[in-house]
Amino acid sequence: MTAVMPKAAPESGSRRLILDTAARLLRSGGYHQTTLREIAEAVGIRKASLYYHFASKEEIVEAVVNDGVRFVHDAVVAALAATRNAPPRQRLEAAIGAHLTALHGNSDYTSASIKVFTFGQTPTPESVRGVRRAYEDVWRELIAELQASGTLSAQRSPDALRLFLLGALNGSIDWYRPGRFDVAALAAEFTALIAHAEQGAAAFFGADASVASR
């Protein structure tokens, strides 16, 4: 069963403005280059006013990183729910498309979430680990479904497949540009690349086994 995504705390308009600003700054500057003073100045408030909403810089970063994952998580879960009775390959394409759509539709948050891997000398908060695990579980279940149906080879490592897929999708933040690429077309291409590679490998190993048996 997929892990339950930890819920975000209710937010005021001011709190969301701070997070929007922090996400934009973290996306461009990363963890170390983004300061509380910079965030406050960009929002148009005093640094001390940030503490009304957040106890520390780490808490702001934690909220931004978690929101970045949640936006994508919610989109993929919705896409899979909408294709519950569809063939596994179609569900894979829907999940890939939803991931890409949310990734680039909320680019400040999602890019910041991908870019901010560490919190300086501070250990990664447990909430960040939990939110990431919950999203990874969505893909663990989908990959298990794909392998059980034969869409992906059962001989492949599920963890390697998950890391490969998410790494490839998240890597698109470096090259994707609206107008240059169509998300639906990309989802179809990525799905075809994965499925065709599996079919090609199955044919290769099948032919190899046939020759060996002669």
Side-chain angles (χ1 to χ4, degrees):
M1 180 179 295
T2 302
V4 176
M5 174 69 77
K7 293 183 179 179
E11 296 173 349
S12 66
S14 297
R15 178 182 169 92
R16 177 50 66 187
L17 177 59
I18 292 169
L19 292 178
D20 288 347
T21 303
R24 174 171 53 80
L25 295 173
L26 286 164
R27 177 186 184 180
S28 60
Y31 179 87
H32 294 289
Q33 298 302 316
T34 304
T35 66
L36 285 176
R37 182 178 301 280
E38 183 182 14
I39 294 171
E41 290 178 352
V43 173
I45 60 177
R46 294 181 302 169
K47 177 181 174 182
S49 298
L50 289 176
Y51 293 107
Y52 177 78
H53 300 281
F54 299 95
S56 64
K57 170 184 170 179
E58 288 73 25
E59 190 173 306
I60 294 175
V61 176
E62 180 179 354
V64 168
V65 169
N66 285 345
D67 276 352
V69 178
R70 284 190 182 100
F71 291 143
V72 179
H73 177 277
D74 292 348
V76 172
V77 168
L80 289 174
T83 57
R84 189 182 309 277
N85 299 318
R89 176 170 170 158
Q90 184 178 333
R91 283 168 54 74
L92 172 62
E93 185 172 335
I96 290 174
H99 183 111
L100 289 172
T101 298
L103 183 72
H104 299 293
N106 304 277
S107 56
D108 283 345
Y109 281 89
T110 53
S111 295
S113 183
I114 293 169
K115 188 169 187 177
V116 180
F117 289 107
T118 63
F119 285 61
Q121 300 300 316
T122 304
T124 302
E126 181 54 36
S127 77
V128 172
R129 298 179 187 277
V131 167
R132 288 183 181 276
R133 280 196 300 268
Y135 183 51
E136 288 172 353
D137 283 346
V138 173
W139 283 92
R140 287 188 178 94
E141 289 193 5
L142 179 57
I143 288 171
E145 174 188 329
L146 294 167
Q147 290 187 310
S149 70
T151 305
L152 296 179
S153 171
Q155 296 179 348
R156 300 284 185 263
S157 163
D159 286 339
L161 284 170
R162 172 177 51 80
L163 292 170
F164 171 77
L165 278 166
L166 294 180
L169 296 179
N170 290 339
S172 68
I173 64 170
D174 293 328
W175 52 261
Y176 175 84
R177 298 293 182 275
R180 181 183 178 190
F181 296 102
D182 176 74
V183 167
L186 282 177
E189 286 289 340
F190 286 176
T191 301
L193 284 170
I194 296 166
H196 287 175
E198 289 298 289
Q199 292 169 3
F204 173 81
F205 286 118
D208 188 55
S210 177
V211 171
S213 65
R214 291 178 183 175

